[in-house]
mmCIF file of all heavy atoms in Angstrom:
data_model
loop_
_atom_site.group_PDB
_atom_site.id
_atom_site.type_symbol
_atom_site.label_atom_id
_atom_site.label_comp_id
_atom_site.label_asym_id
_atom_site.label_seq_id
_atom_site.Cartn_x
_atom_site.Cartn_y
_atom_site.Cartn_z
ATOM 1 N N ARG X 79 19.777 39.159 -13.148
ATOM 2 C CA ARG X 79 20.146 40.575 -13.126
ATOM 3 C C ARG X 79 21.154 40.894 -14.239
ATOM 4 O O ARG X 79 21.131 41.975 -14.812
ATOM 5 C CB ARG X 79 20.695 40.968 -11.759
ATOM 6 C CG ARG X 79 19.599 41.071 -10.680
ATOM 7 C CD ARG X 79 20.188 41.259 -9.296
ATOM 8 N NE ARG X 79 21.054 42.438 -9.261
ATOM 9 C CZ ARG X 79 20.623 43.677 -9.157
ATOM 10 N NH1 ARG X 79 19.328 43.906 -9.055
ATOM 11 N NH2 ARG X 79 21.456 44.683 -9.146
ATOM 12 N N ALA X 102 20.599 48.082 -19.037
ATOM 13 C CA ALA X 102 19.184 47.727 -19.028
ATOM 14 C C ALA X 102 18.483 48.425 -20.177
ATOM 15 O O ALA X 102 18.881 49.506 -20.588
ATOM 16 C CB ALA X 102 18.550 48.155 -17.712
ATOM 17 N N CYS X 103 17.460 47.789 -20.721
ATOM 18 C CA CYS X 103 16.623 48.487 -21.691
ATOM 19 C C CYS X 103 15.265 47.822 -21.762
ATOM 20 O O CYS X 103 15.037 46.772 -21.170
ATOM 21 C CB CYS X 103 17.291 48.577 -23.059
ATOM 22 S SG CYS X 103 17.183 47.045 -23.974
ATOM 23 N N ARG X 106 14.180 44.011 -22.481
ATOM 24 C CA ARG X 106 14.163 42.941 -21.485
ATOM 25 C C ARG X 106 13.396 43.434 -20.263
ATOM 26 O O ARG X 106 13.906 44.200 -19.462
ATOM 27 C CB ARG X 106 15.592 42.562 -21.097
ATOM 28 C CG ARG X 106 16.305 41.781 -22.188
ATOM 29 C CD ARG X 106 17.796 41.832 -22.057
ATOM 30 N NE ARG X 106 18.351 43.005 -22.727
ATOM 31 C CZ ARG X 106 19.145 43.890 -22.132
ATOM 32 N NH1 ARG X 106 19.491 43.742 -20.879
ATOM 33 N NH2 ARG X 106 19.564 44.927 -22.809
ATOM 34 N N PHE X 110 10.251 41.922 -10.348
ATOM 35 C CA PHE X 110 11.105 41.631 -9.200
ATOM 36 C C PHE X 110 10.314 40.902 -8.116
ATOM 37 O O PHE X 110 9.085 40.919 -8.101
ATOM 38 C CB PHE X 110 11.652 42.931 -8.613
ATOM 39 C CG PHE X 110 12.505 43.715 -9.563
ATOM 40 C CD1 PHE X 110 11.939 44.495 -10.559
ATOM 41 C CD2 PHE X 110 13.882 43.685 -9.464
ATOM 42 C CE1 PHE X 110 12.718 45.220 -11.437
ATOM 43 C CE2 PHE X 110 14.679 44.406 -10.337
ATOM 44 C CZ PHE X 110 14.097 45.176 -11.319
ATOM 45 N N THR X 114 7.904 46.666 -6.630
ATOM 46 C CA THR X 114 8.660 47.817 -7.137
ATOM 47 C C THR X 114 7.776 48.766 -7.929
ATOM 48 O O THR X 114 8.265 49.495 -8.774
ATOM 49 C CB THR X 114 9.814 47.366 -8.034
ATOM 50 O OG1 THR X 114 9.268 46.550 -9.072
ATOM 51 C CG2 THR X 114 10.840 46.576 -7.265
ATOM 52 N N LEU X 115 6.471 48.758 -7.650
ATOM 53 C CA LEU X 115 5.624 49.760 -8.302
ATOM 54 C C LEU X 115 6.011 51.123 -7.754
ATOM 55 O O LEU X 115 6.427 51.242 -6.602
ATOM 56 C CB LEU X 115 4.151 49.485 -8.002
ATOM 57 C CG LEU X 115 3.604 48.178 -8.552
ATOM 58 C CD1 LEU X 115 2.128 48.062 -8.232
ATOM 59 C CD2 LEU X 115 3.834 48.071 -10.045
ATOM 60 N N PHE X 116 5.868 52.151 -8.583
ATOM 61 C CA PHE X 116 6.177 53.496 -8.113
ATOM 62 C C PHE X 116 5.020 53.980 -7.239
ATOM 63 O O PHE X 116 3.910 54.150 -7.740
ATOM 64 C CB PHE X 116 6.390 54.432 -9.298
ATOM 65 C CG PHE X 116 7.444 53.944 -10.238
ATOM 66 C CD1 PHE X 116 7.155 53.657 -11.553
ATOM 67 C CD2 PHE X 116 8.741 53.744 -9.785
ATOM 68 C CE1 PHE X 116 8.140 53.183 -12.418
ATOM 69 C CE2 PHE X 116 9.725 53.270 -10.642
ATOM 70 C CZ PHE X 116 9.418 52.985 -11.955
ATOM 71 N N PRO X 117 5.260 54.178 -5.956
ATOM 72 C CA PRO X 117 4.139 54.448 -5.047
ATOM 73 C C PRO X 117 3.438 55.774 -5.323
ATOM 74 O O PRO X 117 2.302 55.949 -4.920
ATOM 75 C CB PRO X 117 4.785 54.445 -3.654
ATOM 76 C CG PRO X 117 6.234 54.583 -3.885
ATOM 77 C CD PRO X 117 6.534 54.055 -5.248
ATOM 78 N N TRP X 118 4.115 56.689 -6.015
ATOM 79 C CA TRP X 118 3.503 58.002 -6.237
ATOM 80 C C TRP X 118 2.646 58.032 -7.496
ATOM 81 O O TRP X 118 2.020 59.039 -7.785
ATOM 82 C CB TRP X 118 4.574 59.088 -6.312
ATOM 83 C CG TRP X 118 5.571 58.874 -7.404
ATOM 84 C CD1 TRP X 118 5.492 59.341 -8.680
ATOM 85 C CD2 TRP X 118 6.770 58.116 -7.331
ATOM 86 N NE1 TRP X 118 6.573 58.914 -9.397
ATOM 87 C CE2 TRP X 118 7.390 58.157 -8.592
ATOM 88 C CE3 TRP X 118 7.402 57.394 -6.302
ATOM 89 C CZ2 TRP X 118 8.581 57.520 -8.864
ATOM 90 C CZ3 TRP X 118 8.585 56.752 -6.589
ATOM 91 C CH2 TRP X 118 9.166 56.820 -7.846
ATOM 92 N N GLY X 128 6.639 52.881 -18.634
ATOM 93 C CA GLY X 128 7.580 52.367 -19.626
ATOM 94 C C GLY X 128 7.296 52.907 -21.024
ATOM 95 O O GLY X 128 8.208 53.245 -21.770
ATOM 96 N N GLU X 130 5.901 55.705 -21.783
ATOM 97 C CA GLU X 130 6.313 57.107 -21.872
ATOM 98 C C GLU X 130 7.828 57.239 -21.968
ATOM 99 O O GLU X 130 8.339 58.111 -22.666
ATOM 100 C CB GLU X 130 5.795 57.889 -20.660
ATOM 101 C CG GLU X 130 4.310 58.164 -20.760
ATOM 102 C CD GLU X 130 3.767 58.906 -19.562
ATOM 103 O OE1 GLU X 130 4.566 59.329 -18.692
ATOM 104 O OE2 GLU X 130 2.554 59.052 -19.489
ATOM 105 N N MET X 131 8.537 56.342 -21.259
ATOM 106 C CA MET X 131 9.993 56.370 -21.326
ATOM 107 C C MET X 131 10.464 56.080 -22.749
ATOM 108 O O MET X 131 11.542 56.472 -23.154
ATOM 109 C CB MET X 131 10.592 55.313 -20.395
ATOM 110 C CG MET X 131 10.441 55.595 -18.925
ATOM 111 S SD MET X 131 11.176 57.136 -18.428
ATOM 112 C CE MET X 131 9.717 58.066 -18.032
ATOM 113 N N ASN X 132 9.650 55.318 -23.470
ATOM 114 C CA ASN X 132 10.050 54.949 -24.825
ATOM 115 C C ASN X 132 9.328 55.774 -25.878
ATOM 116 O O ASN X 132 9.020 55.294 -26.970
ATOM 117 C CB ASN X 132 9.842 53.457 -25.024
ATOM 118 C CG ASN X 132 10.815 52.670 -24.162
ATOM 119 O OD1 ASN X 132 12.004 52.643 -24.410
ATOM 120 N ND2 ASN X 132 10.302 52.070 -23.094
ATOM 121 N N TYR X 159 -3.862 53.767 -5.930
ATOM 122 C CA TYR X 159 -2.422 53.855 -5.696
ATOM 123 C C TYR X 159 -1.918 52.500 -5.212
ATOM 124 O O TYR X 159 -2.666 51.747 -4.594
ATOM 125 C CB TYR X 159 -2.118 54.948 -4.667
ATOM 126 C CG TYR X 159 -2.197 56.329 -5.261
ATOM 127 C CD1 TYR X 159 -3.332 57.116 -5.092
ATOM 128 C CD2 TYR X 159 -1.154 56.824 -6.022
ATOM 129 C CE1 TYR X 159 -3.419 58.380 -5.665
ATOM 130 C CE2 TYR X 159 -1.221 58.074 -6.596
ATOM 131 C CZ TYR X 159 -2.354 58.851 -6.414
ATOM 132 O OH TYR X 159 -2.419 60.082 -6.992
ATOM 133 N N HIS X 161 -0.324 51.410 -2.744
ATOM 134 C CA HIS X 161 -0.485 50.982 -1.346
ATOM 135 C C HIS X 161 -1.895 50.497 -1.041
ATOM 136 O O HIS X 161 -2.146 49.932 0.018
ATOM 137 C CB HIS X 161 -0.063 52.103 -0.385
ATOM 138 C CG HIS X 161 -1.051 53.212 -0.247
ATOM 139 N ND1 HIS X 161 -2.017 53.229 0.718
ATOM 140 C CD2 HIS X 161 -1.219 54.337 -0.959
ATOM 141 C CE1 HIS X 161 -2.740 54.321 0.587
ATOM 142 N NE2 HIS X 161 -2.271 55.012 -0.425
ATOM 143 N N LYS X 168 -0.471 43.753 -6.797
ATOM 144 C CA LYS X 168 0.729 44.540 -7.116
ATOM 145 C C LYS X 168 1.555 43.820 -8.172
ATOM 146 O O LYS X 168 2.056 44.441 -9.112
ATOM 147 C CB LYS X 168 1.580 44.726 -5.863
ATOM 148 C CG LYS X 168 1.092 45.849 -4.978
ATOM 149 C CD LYS X 168 2.024 46.001 -3.788
ATOM 150 C CE LYS X 168 1.288 46.695 -2.675
ATOM 151 N NZ LYS X 168 1.923 46.564 -1.386
ATOM 152 N N ARG X 175 2.975 46.168 -16.329
ATOM 153 C CA ARG X 175 3.906 47.262 -16.584
ATOM 154 C C ARG X 175 5.083 46.794 -17.435
ATOM 155 O O ARG X 175 5.508 47.480 -18.360
ATOM 156 C CB ARG X 175 4.408 47.804 -15.238
ATOM 157 C CG ARG X 175 5.343 48.967 -15.349
ATOM 158 C CD ARG X 175 5.714 49.512 -13.994
ATOM 159 N NE ARG X 175 6.613 48.606 -13.267
ATOM 160 C CZ ARG X 175 7.220 48.927 -12.142
ATOM 161 N NH1 ARG X 175 7.014 50.115 -11.593
ATOM 162 N NH2 ARG X 175 8.005 48.083 -11.532
ATOM 163 N N ASN X 179 5.710 47.318 -22.483
ATOM 164 C CA ASN X 179 6.794 47.711 -23.391
ATOM 165 C C ASN X 179 6.984 46.714 -24.519
ATOM 166 O O ASN X 179 7.856 46.916 -25.363
ATOM 167 C CB ASN X 179 8.112 47.797 -22.613
ATOM 168 C CG ASN X 179 8.305 49.152 -21.992
ATOM 169 O OD1 ASN X 179 7.757 50.126 -22.469
ATOM 170 N ND2 ASN X 179 9.095 49.211 -20.938
ATOM 171 N N ALA J 261 15.656 49.513 -5.716
ATOM 172 C CA ALA J 261 14.849 48.636 -6.578
ATOM 173 C C ALA J 261 13.946 49.450 -7.497
ATOM 174 O O ALA J 261 13.664 49.039 -8.619
ATOM 175 C CB ALA J 261 14.025 47.681 -5.729
ATOM 176 N N LEU J 262 13.502 50.622 -7.024
ATOM 177 C CA LEU J 262 12.663 51.470 -7.874
ATOM 178 C C LEU J 262 13.467 51.974 -9.068
ATOM 179 O O LEU J 262 12.966 52.041 -10.190
ATOM 180 C CB LEU J 262 12.112 52.654 -7.081
ATOM 181 C CG LEU J 262 11.108 52.316 -5.975
ATOM 182 C CD1 LEU J 262 10.631 53.589 -5.293
ATOM 183 C CD2 LEU J 262 9.937 51.551 -6.548
ATOM 184 N N GLU J 264 16.069 50.441 -10.348
ATOM 185 C CA GLU J 264 16.330 49.300 -11.232
ATOM 186 C C GLU J 264 15.100 48.974 -12.057
ATOM 187 O O GLU J 264 15.207 48.678 -13.252
ATOM 188 C CB GLU J 264 16.763 48.090 -10.390
ATOM 189 C CG GLU J 264 18.147 48.301 -9.777
ATOM 190 C CD GLU J 264 18.656 47.085 -9.033
ATOM 191 O OE1 GLU J 264 17.829 46.238 -8.643
ATOM 192 O OE2 GLU J 264 19.877 46.990 -8.837
ATOM 193 N N ALA J 265 13.935 49.036 -11.410
ATOM 194 C CA ALA J 265 12.696 48.779 -12.154
ATOM 195 C C ALA J 265 12.571 49.782 -13.291
ATOM 196 O O ALA J 265 12.261 49.413 -14.425
ATOM 197 C CB ALA J 265 11.494 48.870 -11.219
ATOM 198 N N ALA J 266 12.847 51.046 -12.998
ATOM 199 C CA ALA J 266 12.741 52.079 -14.032
ATOM 200 C C ALA J 266 13.721 51.809 -15.167
ATOM 201 O O ALA J 266 13.389 51.979 -16.338
ATOM 202 C CB ALA J 266 12.988 53.448 -13.415
ATOM 203 N N LEU J 267 14.927 51.354 -14.807
ATOM 204 C CA LEU J 267 15.924 51.041 -15.840
ATOM 205 C C LEU J 267 15.425 49.942 -16.768
ATOM 206 O O LEU J 267 15.543 50.035 -17.985
ATOM 207 C CB LEU J 267 17.234 50.591 -15.183
ATOM 208 C CG LEU J 267 18.150 51.703 -14.674
ATOM 209 C CD1 LEU J 267 19.294 51.108 -13.864
ATOM 210 C CD2 LEU J 267 18.693 52.508 -15.836
ATOM 211 N N THR J 268 14.832 48.887 -16.184
ATOM 212 C CA THR J 268 14.365 47.790 -17.039
ATOM 213 C C THR J 268 13.136 48.198 -17.848
ATOM 214 O O THR J 268 12.730 47.491 -18.744
ATOM 215 C CB THR J 268 14.008 46.528 -16.225
ATOM 216 O OG1 THR J 268 12.939 46.846 -15.339
ATOM 217 C CG2 THR J 268 15.183 46.022 -15.436
ATOM 218 N N LEU J 269 12.552 49.340 -17.483
ATOM 219 C CA LEU J 269 11.427 49.837 -18.279
ATOM 220 C C LEU J 269 11.911 50.809 -19.347
ATOM 221 O O LEU J 269 11.111 51.406 -20.057
ATOM 222 C CB LEU J 269 10.395 50.512 -17.380
ATOM 223 C CG LEU J 269 9.641 49.560 -16.459
ATOM 224 C CD1 LEU J 269 8.872 50.319 -15.407
ATOM 225 C CD2 LEU J 269 8.704 48.684 -17.266
ATOM 226 N N GLY J 270 13.215 50.997 -19.395
ATOM 227 C CA GLY J 270 13.767 51.811 -20.473
ATOM 228 C C GLY J 270 14.031 53.255 -20.110
ATOM 229 O O GLY J 270 14.223 54.084 -20.988
ATOM 230 N N ALA J 271 14.048 53.581 -18.801
ATOM 231 C CA ALA J 271 14.321 54.967 -18.416
ATOM 232 C C ALA J 271 15.797 55.289 -18.650
ATOM 233 O O ALA J 271 16.663 54.466 -18.366
ATOM 234 C CB ALA J 271 13.963 55.188 -16.959
ATOM 235 N N LYS J 272 16.064 56.480 -19.184
ATOM 236 C CA LYS J 272 17.445 56.911 -19.366
ATOM 237 C C LYS J 272 17.841 57.787 -18.175
ATOM 238 O O LYS J 272 17.006 58.099 -17.335
ATOM 239 C CB LYS J 272 17.611 57.723 -20.657
ATOM 240 C CG LYS J 272 16.835 57.211 -21.847
ATOM 241 C CD LYS J 272 17.438 55.960 -22.459
ATOM 242 C CE LYS J 272 16.619 55.463 -23.639
ATOM 243 N NZ LYS J 272 15.204 55.184 -23.333
ATOM 244 N N GLN J 275 15.831 60.899 -17.242
ATOM 245 C CA GLN J 275 14.475 60.498 -16.857
ATOM 246 C C GLN J 275 14.480 59.869 -15.471
ATOM 247 O O GLN J 275 13.558 60.075 -14.687
ATOM 248 C CB GLN J 275 13.931 59.491 -17.875
ATOM 249 C CG GLN J 275 13.644 60.109 -19.232
ATOM 250 C CD GLN J 275 13.354 59.063 -20.282
ATOM 251 O OE1 GLN J 275 13.983 58.002 -20.302
ATOM 252 N NE2 GLN J 275 12.414 59.352 -21.149
ATOM 253 N N ARG J 279 11.938 61.510 -13.219
ATOM 254 C CA ARG J 279 10.708 60.731 -13.145
ATOM 255 C C ARG J 279 10.709 59.741 -11.986
ATOM 256 O O ARG J 279 9.661 59.191 -11.651
ATOM 257 C CB ARG J 279 10.481 59.982 -14.465
ATOM 258 C CG ARG J 279 10.326 60.886 -15.680
ATOM 259 C CD ARG J 279 9.022 61.672 -15.635
ATOM 260 N NE ARG J 279 7.855 60.816 -15.547
ATOM 261 C CZ ARG J 279 7.167 60.360 -16.577
ATOM 262 N NH1 ARG J 279 7.530 60.688 -17.781
ATOM 263 N NH2 ARG J 279 6.121 59.576 -16.405
ATOM 264 N N VAL J 280 11.882 59.441 -11.428
ATOM 265 C CA VAL J 280 11.911 58.471 -10.333
ATOM 266 C C VAL J 280 12.489 59.087 -9.056
ATOM 267 O O VAL J 280 11.819 59.132 -8.029
ATOM 268 C CB VAL J 280 12.708 57.207 -10.711
ATOM 269 C CG1 VAL J 280 12.629 56.177 -9.590
ATOM 270 C CG2 VAL J 280 12.189 56.615 -12.004
ATOM 271 N N PRO J 283 10.336 62.500 -7.778
ATOM 272 C CA PRO J 283 9.020 62.182 -7.208
ATOM 273 C C PRO J 283 9.113 61.205 -6.041
ATOM 274 O O PRO J 283 8.331 61.283 -5.094
ATOM 275 C CB PRO J 283 8.235 61.585 -8.374
ATOM 276 C CG PRO J 283 9.206 61.309 -9.441
ATOM 277 C CD PRO J 283 10.386 62.187 -9.227
ATOM 278 N N GLY J 284 10.075 60.302 -6.100
ATOM 279 C CA GLY J 284 10.182 59.297 -5.050
ATOM 280 C C GLY J 284 10.571 59.875 -3.702
ATOM 281 O O GLY J 284 10.138 59.380 -2.659
ATOM 282 N N ARG J 359 -0.909 62.253 -0.828
ATOM 283 C CA ARG J 359 -1.955 61.296 -0.481
ATOM 284 C C ARG J 359 -1.551 59.872 -0.822
ATOM 285 O O ARG J 359 -2.025 58.925 -0.231
ATOM 286 C CB ARG J 359 -3.239 61.633 -1.237
ATOM 287 C CG ARG J 359 -4.037 62.736 -0.610
ATOM 288 C CD ARG J 359 -4.917 63.364 -1.649
ATOM 289 N NE ARG J 359 -4.074 63.901 -2.725
ATOM 290 C CZ ARG J 359 -4.521 64.662 -3.702
ATOM 291 N NH1 ARG J 359 -5.781 64.947 -3.762
ATOM 292 N NH2 ARG J 359 -3.713 65.128 -4.624
ATOM 293 N N TRP J 360 -0.667 59.732 -1.819
ATOM 294 C CA TRP J 360 -0.308 58.387 -2.260
ATOM 295 C C TRP J 360 0.555 57.672 -1.254
ATOM 296 O O TRP J 360 0.768 56.470 -1.340
ATOM 297 C CB TRP J 360 0.417 58.439 -3.598
ATOM 298 C CG TRP J 360 1.579 59.388 -3.645
ATOM 299 C CD1 TRP J 360 1.547 60.675 -4.085
ATOM 300 C CD2 TRP J 360 2.912 59.148 -3.243
ATOM 301 N NE1 TRP J 360 2.787 61.237 -3.983
ATOM 302 C CE2 TRP J 360 3.648 60.321 -3.473
ATOM 303 C CE3 TRP J 360 3.576 58.036 -2.702
ATOM 304 C CZ2 TRP J 360 5.003 60.419 -3.187
ATOM 305 C CZ3 TRP J 360 4.918 58.146 -2.420
ATOM 306 C CH2 TRP J 360 5.609 59.332 -2.667
ATOM 307 N N ARG J 362 1.670 55.759 1.924
ATOM 308 C CA ARG J 362 1.059 54.912 2.936
ATOM 309 C C ARG J 362 1.389 55.522 4.296
ATOM 310 O O ARG J 362 2.501 55.941 4.542
ATOM 311 C CB ARG J 362 1.690 53.536 2.792
ATOM 312 C CG ARG J 362 1.497 52.574 3.890
ATOM 313 C CD ARG J 362 2.656 51.612 3.875
ATOM 314 N NE ARG J 362 2.819 50.984 2.554
ATOM 315 C CZ ARG J 362 2.239 49.839 2.245
ATOM 316 N NH1 ARG J 362 1.491 49.221 3.111
ATOM 317 N NH2 ARG J 362 2.450 49.299 1.071
ATOM 318 N N LYS J 366 0.141 52.348 9.127
ATOM 319 C CA LYS J 366 -0.627 51.321 8.433
ATOM 320 C C LYS J 366 0.281 50.233 7.862
ATOM 321 O O LYS J 366 -0.170 49.148 7.560
ATOM 322 C CB LYS J 366 -1.428 51.975 7.291
ATOM 323 C CG LYS J 366 -2.895 51.546 7.277
ATOM 324 C CD LYS J 366 -3.622 52.164 6.100
ATOM 325 C CE LYS J 366 -3.457 51.316 4.852
ATOM 326 N NZ LYS J 366 -3.988 51.946 3.670
#
Side-chain angles (χ1 to χ4, degrees):
Chain X
R79 286 172 56 80
C103 78
R106 287 159 273 126
F110 298 79
T114 55
L115 296 182
F116 304 119
W118 59 91
E130 285 179 7
M131 290 301 111
N132 292 289
Y159 283 99
H161 76 92
K168 278 182 202 163
R175 182 176 72 171
N179 273 335
Chain J
L262 293 181
E264 291 185 339
L267 279 171
T268 62
L269 291 168
K272 320 286 179 303
Q275 290 170 321
R279 299 291 302 268
V280 184
R359 279 157 300 189
W360 52 265
R362 166 206 306 268
K366 228 183 86 187

